[in-house]
Amino acid sequence: MTRIATAPNDRGAAVGNAVEVRGIVKHYGTTKALDGVDLTVKEGTVLGVLGPNGAGKTTLVRVLSTLIKPDAGTAVVGGYDVLRQPKQLRRTIGLTGQYASVDELLSGYENLYLIGRLLDLPRREARARATELLERFSLTEAAKRTAKTYSGGMRRRLDLAASMIGRPRVLYLDEPTTGLDPRTRNEVWDEVQRMVAEGTTVLLTTQYMEEAEQLANELTVIDRGKVIANGLVSDLKAKVGGQTLQVRPARPADLPEMARCLRENGVSTATYSADTGLLAVPITGEEQLTAVIGVLGGRGFAIAGIDTKVPSLDEVFLAITGKPVADAEPVPSLAKEPVA
Ligand SMILES: Nc1ncnc2c1ncn2[C@@H]1O[C@H](COP(=O)(O)OP(=O)(O)O)[C@@H](O)[C@H]1O
Ligand SMILES: [Mg+2]
């Protein structure tokens, strides 16, 4: 079930910008990886940077981590300029890449301890921080095993733990769930949501609209180094045409009656299929979603499962640009868990 993104700032305080990017350009030879990118991440929020393979997401993260220098433009993170204050900036950020960066030959504990020492933590503090983070990411039992014995999900959790050692105010997550199975993906999402609840600002790159919807407050959509859309996730979704609610009744024989009942209540777009046993209702907003569930529940239909289908990256691109994603490699699909 889709969770609805929280408001960008529900603490009532004036919100500053944790990340401000203006006119960033980066070439690799003749390839223009970033072509004048502007974006902003407000303090305490999650910005999703959505784009296909080759859009420039990793290049952007590398510029914002001071790993590469932009050819033009400015970028300020936590008040520090990428070019003028790289050292201070690096102390402000944490980074988790698409590929696990843990050392396979070291144990989980050793990986975290080592990073703590690299960040100049005194021995005792590095030990304490490693232990605390292993506990926090449910890796205590595996702490002494080499990372090479870890499952994909454990590695990704160790990676997240590693990025949290220096207590970063701003965390970059570069495609944190690409290639993960649905269960592991959900574990990562839960961890990210916890970090955000604790006040970490996140810049998340992704190829999945579903992931952006799950985690981000605002979205910046990039294509071939250029921003092609930005705004609240909810606005962007509405532009694309919202989502589809799928309802599985406990008794498939109820399907026609459920559709009729919705029609009587002004929802004329519900369809159903006896083959799949699902009732499908296009949803334009959270009020409509609440109303549909209310009507069905109120009439006493037994519901075995509900799910929402979010538009794909392709559908988003089609709605924004009128064209499908340009010569992108195929996006590995997030295996969809069946309706419960
Ligand atoms: N080190 C590099 N050398 C040359 N070209 C690169 C390098 N890194 C990325 N590129 C190119 O820059 C563009 C953006 O790549 P990247 O930032 O990795 O995109 P994404 O992370 O969105 O998939 C692509 O065309 C890619 O081939
Ligand atoms: Mg990338």
Side-chain angles (χ1 to χ4, degrees), residues 7-276:
N9 170 32
D10 50 18
R11 291 181 307 234
V15 180
N17 291 335
V19 181
E20 262 187 40
V21 174
R22 295 288 168 261
I24 289 287
V25 175
K26 178 71 192 177
H27 294 88
Y28 290 111
T30 54
T31 306
K32 215 170 200 180
L34 297 175
D35 191 2
V37 168
D38 297 326
L39 59 80
T40 302
V41 192
K42 297 192 188 84
E43 199 94 48
T45 71
V46 181
L47 175 76
V49 176
L50 182 71
N53 260 328
K57 302 182 295 296
T58 298
T59 305
L60 177 70
V61 167
R62 296 180 74 200
V63 168
L64 296 180
S65 313
T66 76
L67 295 171
I68 55 173
K69 286 185 180 161
D71 301 329
T74 58
V76 177
V77 181
Y80 301 114
D81 187 282
V82 282
L83 291 174
R84 291 198 307 267
Q85 297 155 301
K87 251 192 174 154
Q88 292 96 317
L89 192 153
R90 282 198 288 271
R91 274 190 229 119
T92 308
I93 61 161
L95 169 64
T96 301
Q98 179 174 349
Y99 303 100
S101 56
V102 298
D103 188 327
E104 299 226 307
L105 300 176
L106 298 179
S107 70
Y109 174 85
E110 286 164 339
N111 265 291
L112 298 187
Y113 175 78
L114 196 73
I115 292 163
R117 294 291 289 151
L118 287 172
L119 290 171
D120 288 334
L121 295 184
R123 280 195 179 78
R124 178 201 296 249
E125 212 177 311
R127 278 198 293 269
R129 189 85 180 123
T131 306
E132 174 195 334
L133 284 167
L134 287 164
E135 177 73 38
R136 155 74 195 277
F137 287 89
S138 313
L139 291 167
T140 301
E141 271 175 39
K144 292 192 177 134
R145 275 162 44 198
T146 57
K148 123 178 126 212
T149 68
Y150 286 16
S151 68
M154 290 165 79
R155 276 179 207 217
R156 206 57 69 101
R157 293 209 304 272
L158 184 60
D159 235 23
L160 283 173
S163 67
M164 295 304 287
I165 296 243
R167 302 181 196 279
R169 279 165 53 204
V170 181
L171 185 63
Y172 306 141
L173 300 172
D174 191 14
E175 297 200 31
T177 64
T178 295
L180 295 185
D181 61 83
R183 209 186 70 169
T184 311
R185 173 200 69 188
N186 284 328
E187 278 175 31
V188 172
W189 285 354
D190 286 347
E191 288 304 341
V192 174
Q193 274 159 340
R194 263 173 64 189
M195 293 189 273
V196 174
E198 287 164 14
T200 310
T201 301
V202 175
L203 185 150
L204 161 99
T205 80
T206 185
Q207 300 191 44
Y208 306 123
M209 185 62 180
E210 194 185 352
E211 179 158 87
E213 197 200 25
Q214 226 11 262
L215 298 176
N217 307 102
E218 295 189 31
L219 257 187
T220 294
V221 185
I222 64 171
D223 184 28
R224 284 169 286 181
K226 282 197 161 92
V227 174
I228 58 167
N230 67 348
L232 292 174
V233 176
S234 49
D235 291 346
L236 212 72
K237 243 175 50 191
K239 192 168 170 179
V240 178
Q243 55 188 338
T244 304
L245 171 69
Q246 295 179 323
V247 181
R248 179 182 297 285
R251 290 178 302 269
D254 283 347
L255 282 167
E257 187 57 24
M258 287 166 97
R260 200 179 59 77
C261 178
L262 286 174
R263 268 199 306 279
E264 279 168 8
N265 284 274
V267 182
S268 57
T269 49
T271 56
Y272 62 88
S273 152
D275 287 343
T276 60

